[in-house]
Amino acid sequence: MTNEDTMTRAPLRVDVISLLPGVFEAYWAESMLGRARAAGLLACRAHQVRDYTHDKHHLTDDYPYGGGVGMVMKPEPIFEAVEAVREGGPRELVIVMAPTGERFSQAMAQELADGYDHLIFVCGRYEAMDERVHAHLAGREISIGDYVLTGGELPALVVIDAVARLIPGVLGGVGAAESESFVTGLLEYPHYTRPPEYRGWAVPEVLLSGHHEAIRQWRREQSLRRTLERRPDLLATAPLTEEDERLLARLKAESRQKAETADRSAGRHDDEEVE
Ligand code: 4G1
């Protein structure tokens, strides 16, 4: 038995500060996080930032100092909402979702799952949040990628989903976490289920053979082939066996040969470059 089988962890508490808390509640209610919540592994709550305003119009945004387009989220309701949910424990972290944050990754999801019992997410709307939120409230700033969005809600849901499924017991059963591409460091092999033929597209014969070693080899080759074609950058860090290295050398030689054959049929010779 391993430690992970016997050690229990504190349930993960997640609080979100947002102008659209209903978005979170809807997703949590429908997804498997609902079950994890019911099982007491996760305690998720979304809070309306507008509830922390004090003025009669419940204003959460204002004009930018210095002028310019768009509105800026006021700092006071955000600070007060975070202070209302904060307990101040050592395993608590305030995460501000922001396009200027660190790029989110599976490694970061693992760090958050392992390192904290209480995550507080702050989501922006409008053009931006007042800089004092970023400078003096954020324990960490995270971005899920470079594109323009209307708010930080979907990014926060992405991070919460990736972290929550790493909490032991949240995922329905074991195993899935093991073979995933981020664990092997390679892209995944293709998956098939019934029927064995659909619209003339057959499932690869080897998968129906019951020959476990042949299946393992086929899947590994598929993973390596796809990674070489689509994400060669991953090969620099993926843990590879000698068998993998031999297979990769063969696949690389194969693709070089293919390229040469294509060149010859296009009337090019040896080192000629293609525009
Ligand atoms: C400039 C994207 C602005 C967006 C440059 C990923 C995006 C939070 C994220 C924006 C947001 C780029 C994220 C932009 C996000 C204030 C409210 C910021 C929404 C806001 C590339 C709008 N990961 N975007 N600004 O989208 O919150 O976490």
Side-chain angles (χ1 to χ4, degrees):
M1 229 196 268
T2 67
N3 265 349
E4 222 175 278
D5 296 322
T6 54
M7 305 246 293
T8 58
R9 58 159 293 152
L12 178 64
R13 180 172 167 198
V14 174
D15 285 287
V16 182
I17 311 303
S18 161
L19 275 162
L20 302 175
V23 166
F24 295 89
E25 294 298 343
Y27 184 74
W28 292 336
E30 297 268 349
S31 67
M32 70 178 183
L33 296 194
R35 256 181 298 146
R37 251 172 136 181
L41 300 167
L42 261 179
C44 303
R45 289 192 60 183
H47 308 267
Q48 173 56 263
V49 67
R50 202 177 293 286
D51 294 345
Y52 295 87
T53 56
H54 301 292
D55 62 304
K56 76 169 176 190
H57 294 110
H58 304 286
L59 291 180
T60 56
D61 63 324
D62 205 341
Y63 299 95
Y65 274 124
V69 293
M71 299 297 275
V72 177
M73 275 184 97
K74 292 168 67 55
E76 312 95 305
I78 299 176
F79 272 85
E80 289 187 36
V82 168
E83 282 154 10
V85 300
R86 169 177 260 168
E87 295 167 308
R91 285 173 56 85
E92 181 177 85
L93 180 67
V94 177
I95 298 173
V96 171
M97 299 308 302
T100 50
E102 270 179 274
R103 171 66 61 86
F104 187 58
S105 65
Q106 187 63 28
M108 209 186 292
Q110 193 69 61
E111 274 177 48
L112 296 176
D114 292 341
Y116 300 93
D117 296 332
H118 189 192
L119 299 175
I120 302 168
F121 290 86
V122 176
C123 305
R125 279 266 141 188
Y126 313 117
E127 203 61 27
M129 284 184 264
D130 187 282
E131 181 59 22
R132 287 162 291 193
V133 171
H134 300 286
H136 306 297
L137 192 57
R140 198 153 181 181
E141 296 194 273
I142 299 180
S143 167
I144 63 160
D146 296 338
Y147 21 75
V148 180
L149 299 173
T150 58
E153 284 76 16
L154 294 175
L157 273 177
V158 167
V159 173
I160 294 163
D161 195 75
V163 173
R165 64 177 291 291
L166 295 174
I167 304 300
V170 169
L171 212 63
V174 284
E178 307 244 304
S179 68
E180 270 168 23
S181 60
F182 285 106
V183 179
T184 66
L186 298 172
L187 295 185
E188 283 194 81
Y189 53 76
H191 300 266
Y192 293 89
T193 185
R194 288 185 288 184
E197 189 179 315
Y198 178 63
R199 297 191 174 181
W201 301 306
V203 173
E205 204 49 57
V206 64
L207 297 178
L208 311 175
S209 70
H211 187 334
H212 300 300
E213 176 56 18
I215 292 169
R216 185 197 65 77
Q217 282 179 25
W218 181 85
R219 286 179 166 167
R220 193 69 183 174
E221 174 171 342
Q222 292 294 314
S223 280
L224 289 165
R225 204 181 268 285
R226 287 182 153 192
T227 308
L228 184 61
E229 281 172 11
R230 305 179 195 178
R231 292 291 307 279
D233 58 299
L234 295 177
L235 293 172
T237 47
L240 300 175
T241 66
E242 275 179 40
E243 187 193 2
D244 292 336
E245 300 283 10
R246 278 194 300 275
L247 194 51
L248 261 179
R250 205 191 82 210
L251 295 175
K252 283 179 190 166
E254 236 172 60
S255 76
R256 264 198 306 278
Q257 202 137 51
K258 245 198 201 153
E260 280 166 25
T261 309
D263 278 354
R264 261 193 293 278
S265 75
R268 282 186 290 272
H269 23 72
D270 284 355
D271 298 334
E272 198 174 323
E273 300 224 1
V274 185
E275 279 292 304

